[in-house]
Amino acid sequence: MRILLALPDRDLLAGLTKLLTLDGHTVDPVFDGVQALSHAAAEKPDLAVLDGYLPRVPLPDLIKQLREMGIFALLFWDAPETAESLVEKTGAAAVLTYPFSSDDLSRRLLAMKEGAFFKETV
Amino acid sequence: MTVLLGIINGTNFTMVTQDADQVTEMLSSEQNVPIGGQSGAYPENSPASPPDSFSGDASDRGGQMPDFWGGSGRDGFGMPGEGSDDRSENTEQPPFFGGFGGKESDGKDATPPERPDGKDATLPERPDGESGNQSGAAGGDRQPRSFGDMPGWGNMGPSSPETLPSARYFTVRFNQEGTGEIVNFNVSALTEEEALALAKDLKTEKTGWVKTVYRYRVYREAGYTYVIVLDQSRELLPSFRTLLISLIGWGVGLLICFGFLAAVSRRLFRPLEDADRREKNFLKEAEKAFCVPLTVIGTDVEIIDRENGPSSETQSIRRQVEKMTALTRRLGSLSLTENAASDSFDLADLVIARLDRAEDAFREKGVTLTRVIGGAVPFRGDEKALENAIAELADNALKFAVSRVSFTLKTEGDHVVLTVENDTTLPDGPADAAFDRFTRLENAGDTPGSGLGLSFVKEAVLAHNGRLSARVANGVFSIRIVF
């Protein structure tokens, strides 16, 4: 699966890139919204994984444009209580709340790949 | 002192000095200044008499009398040699309406029921004695014209020479048979008949108020009972006005005070509110601040493990990350109670559902879980917060129970009572400290925990206007929550 990974935290970006690559995915790592859009247009990823605080492009706009390209988005978010409403507000396919383990992420990606979008947060 | 001053125009009208005296006294009691007739204050012929007291020979003042005693030509009220000479009989009358001090002793002796001699030399000369017109339509004839010559007027403070002459009053005299006779009538609001009836009612009294605005005084003299009724409406009206103004002033003052207090208290309590908000924000911020780093550490440990194979060090890091992750989630749920939702749900269902999910854990640990839950308990509040609270309660009970835990949910009157009990090794006594953040009781030992679980329960309960307490009795730790 080709994954666009857009996270502002460079350590997390590097770690997850490596881990997802080890899991057999192809990862396009970027750290802001503008890059995310250009990479999405160029690489046509299967899924976009975005941090909720991604700079430079408002989240709903970003997700809307990704959806226009046929790309679903998985959001990383830090507030479990607002996760559900975030899905409604931004149009993200799913939300995963920090802190999560690599297992959590793997399960969620698997579920999304199978087309079952969980709104439930871990 | 009861001296008749005059008979006017053939009507057997008498003016009794004491009567006037009493009226003056009633008037002056407002100011607390002795006036009219308080002759003792001014020694006879004393040079020390107040300059304004008109004491002594008033004749030298006569020429200065102003002309506002209209109708003086006929009134005979102490106007020497003028108008009413035919009725002036007693030259010895004390000059109640004239020079007072000089003839004081004479006045005391003479008490015939006749008017004083208008020719009394002590009475002031009126410049316009002959030309007066009648003053006032009702009882104008009986209007005392020269009260202004009262000694002591100068000490009257706010009152002026017009105060007594302008007094509205009437006097009724009752003889021993109880027959009333109007001695003096100078009111407009009452007819003479009404005045007589009123006085009859009052004659057994001493002093007081009647018909709201009339002050009365009753005194006995020479076998007669005199009832003086003095209209005080003009005195009361300003009083009422003053009272009204005072009340308005008070109201405004109070408003200002409350406004000030409101402004100040907002300022006073703002630090407290800020502190509370900061604490909640801090928890929220702490949760957020820990989120990404914990994820990063977890991810990196995973990578190291995959590349180098698991080691005891990476296992240790994983455990610590899990602990911190759990702690972070709890911090988040603590700050969650701030914005409580309002759902309608069945609390009994919620407890049962939550305990169902915990049952396996109880079985694993070999702890008996007993539930005593009656019928439905309709509840309104934040379902999620309460579900978390019940989970925390179950978790805590399981963690520290020796062998058994019981959940009891029942209604007591209007209240819902949830009791959670577990056997414990703790000594007997209150154990409310268990609800404090980051507090772990003595039996915590190396049991994993953050000391936050029950503090979350407390937050949730308080957010629902509930009360809770914890205590240990006979080896049983019990938490009682009342909504």
Side-chain angles (χ1 to χ4, degrees):
Chain A
M1 189 158 70
R2 191 174 190 102
I3 295 171
L4 172 67
L5 188 62
L7 305 171
D9 188 297
R10 305 299 176 101
D11 286 340
L12 189 62
L13 185 63
L16 284 181
T17 303
K18 196 164 185 178
L19 197 66
L20 290 172
T21 307
L22 286 172
D23 280 346
H25 299 290
T26 308
V27 180
D28 299 318
V30 298
F31 44 83
D32 67 36
V34 174
Q35 285 184 23
L37 282 175
S38 60
H39 272 256
E43 311 291 344
K44 300 284 180 203
D46 300 307
L47 182 73
V49 176
L50 311 170
D51 185 273
Y53 295 99
L54 204 63
R56 294 186 70 186
V57 177
L59 205 57
D61 294 352
L62 180 58
I63 291 172
K64 196 178 169 209
Q65 291 188 45
L66 289 171
R67 286 296 298 275
E68 283 166 4
M69 300 177 206
I71 303 166
F72 284 105
L74 168 64
L75 263 189
F76 289 171
W77 187 243
D78 60 4
E81 69 273 13
T82 52
E84 275 182 49
S85 63
L86 195 70
V87 168
E88 286 162 24
K89 277 180 196 163
T90 63
V95 175
L96 186 61
T97 52
Y98 294 118
F100 54 82
S101 69
S102 52
D103 284 349
D104 294 333
L105 180 59
S106 300
R107 279 199 296 272
R108 184 56 57 92
L109 289 176
L110 188 64
M112 293 193 76
K113 192 179 179 183
E114 289 166 357
F117 296 155
F118 290 90
K119 284 185 176 179
E120 185 186 325
T121 59
V122 174
Chain B
M1 279 288 278
T2 306
V3 186
L4 290 171
L5 289 184
I7 304 166
I8 303 169
N9 291 342
T11 59
N12 190 23
F13 177 75
T14 56
M15 182 66 204
V16 182
T17 53
Q18 181 169 345
D19 176 303
D21 199 16
Q22 300 264 350
V23 173
T24 319
E25 201 178 305
M26 286 161 84
L27 280 169
S28 67
S29 63
E30 303 287 327
Q31 287 91 16
N32 245 346
V33 177
I35 55 161
Q38 319 283 329
S39 60
Y42 307 111
E44 292 176 11
N45 298 322
S46 165
S49 294
D52 285 342
S53 67
F54 298 176
S55 63
D57 187 359
S59 60
D60 59 339
R61 299 183 51 83
Q64 299 163 19
M65 283 299 288
D67 189 19
F68 45 66
W69 309 123
S72 60
R74 309 182 63 212
D75 65 2
F77 257 104
M79 292 301 107
E82 290 171 8
S84 50
D85 49 337
D86 54 332
R87 290 173 205 96
S88 302
E89 292 166 24
N90 188 347
T91 59
E92 298 303 315
Q93 279 313 301
F96 182 72
F97 298 142
F100 199 96
K103 303 249 174 171
E104 174 71 12
S105 56
D106 292 344
K108 280 183 172 171
D109 294 336
T111 57
E114 297 293 340
R115 57 156 295 169
D117 187 358
K119 296 184 182 81
D120 191 322
T122 62
L123 295 176
E125 199 77 26
R126 289 187 59 97
D128 59 337
E130 302 294 335
S131 62
N133 52 333
Q134 294 295 322
S135 71
D141 280 355
R142 301 161 182 180
Q143 186 92 19
R145 306 291 173 180
S146 37
F147 279 20
D149 283 347
M150 291 284 299
W153 279 115
N155 290 339
M156 277 287 288
S159 86
S160 71
E162 276 81 5
T163 306
L164 186 53
S166 63
R168 310 285 292 173
Y169 71 101
F170 65 86
T171 308
V172 179
R173 183 174 75 173
F174 292 93
N175 60 22
Q176 275 155 338
E177 285 77 44
T179 311
E181 167 194 16
I182 289 192
V183 181
N184 189 324
F185 192 77
N186 184 18
V187 291
S188 309
L190 296 170
T191 64
E192 294 197 2
E193 288 71 35
E194 286 169 339
L196 260 176
L198 185 64
K200 200 161 192 168
D201 290 339
L202 296 176
K203 68 178 180 177
T204 53
E205 309 281 328
K206 277 188 171 168
T207 183
W209 292 82
V210 66
K211 285 182 183 291
T212 311
V213 295
Y214 294 99
R215 200 139 58 106
Y216 63 88
R217 177 167 290 172
V218 181
Y219 64 95
R220 285 159 191 88
E221 189 76 48
Y224 286 106
T225 300
Y226 292 86
V227 177
I228 312 171
V229 179
L230 173 66
D231 170 44
Q232 293 266 284
S233 53
R234 274 175 304 179
E235 283 72 22
L236 286 175
L237 194 64
S239 301
F240 285 140
R241 198 173 296 147
T242 309
L243 184 69
L244 192 68
I245 292 170
S246 313
L247 284 175
I248 292 172
W250 266 97
V252 170
L254 278 175
L255 277 179
I256 290 172
C257 273
F258 282 131
F260 177 75
L261 272 177
V264 166
S265 65
R266 192 172 295 170
R267 189 163 291 187
L268 279 177
F269 290 110
R270 192 180 293 152
L272 287 175
E273 288 171 6
D274 285 352
D276 190 51
R277 200 168 49 239
R278 268 200 300 273
E279 191 187 4
K280 293 248 159 82
N281 282 346
F282 170 76
L283 292 171
K284 192 69 227 162
E285 293 308 313
E287 185 205 7
K288 288 188 176 182
F290 290 147
C291 279
V292 176
L294 283 171
T295 312
V296 172
I297 295 169
T299 307
D300 289 349
V301 171
E302 177 73 19
I303 294 167
I304 293 168
D305 270 0
R306 291 208 195 170
E307 287 181 340
N308 304 323
S311 69
S312 59
E313 287 78 15
T314 54
Q315 288 306 311
S316 159
I317 295 173
R318 279 174 183 275
R319 277 196 301 273
Q320 295 306 314
V321 167
E322 274 167 25
K323 218 184 249 181
M324 287 195 71
T325 300
L327 178 59
T328 303
R329 292 220 166 111
R330 280 191 174 160
L331 286 176
S333 37
L334 269 183
S335 61
L336 235 177
T337 50
E338 199 177 0
N339 306 311
S342 188
D343 319 307
S344 285
F345 57 95
D346 182 356
L347 190 61
D349 274 355
L350 192 71
V351 173
I352 290 167
R354 193 65 223 189
L355 291 181
D356 282 348
R357 286 168 65 178
E359 214 151 42
D360 284 347
F362 277 89
R363 202 173 299 124
E364 263 175 44
K365 210 191 161 192
V367 173
T368 315
L369 175 61
T370 314
R371 314 172 196 182
V372 183
I373 296 170
V377 180
F379 204 83
R380 196 163 178 81
D382 188 336
E383 187 172 9
K384 198 159 189 179
L386 285 176
E387 188 182 352
N388 286 340
I390 292 160
E392 293 289 353
L393 285 167
D395 186 48
N396 185 77
L398 175 61
K399 235 185 246 176
F400 298 108
V402 178
S403 64
R404 55 196 165 83
V405 170
S406 76
F407 270 73
T408 308
L409 180 69
K410 58 186 175 181
T411 49
E412 288 180 6
D414 294 338
H415 297 289
V416 177
V417 182
L418 174 65
T419 312
V420 183
E421 293 178 329
N422 62 266
D423 49 357
T424 181
T425 54
L426 286 170
D428 285 8
D432 290 327
F435 298 119
D436 294 342
R437 278 176 194 171
F438 301 110
T439 298
R440 310 195 72 200
L441 301 181
E442 305 90 272
N443 63 342
D446 58 357
T447 313
S450 57
L452 277 175
L454 291 185
S455 75
F456 168 65
V457 173
K458 181 182 180 178
E459 292 276 335
V461 169
L462 294 184
H464 289 83
N465 298 318
R467 289 174 285 119
L468 78 177
S469 60
R471 60 177 300 106
V472 179
N474 304 319
V476 175
F477 176 83
S478 62
I479 293 174
R480 181 181 155 89
I481 297 169
V482 182
F483 290 110

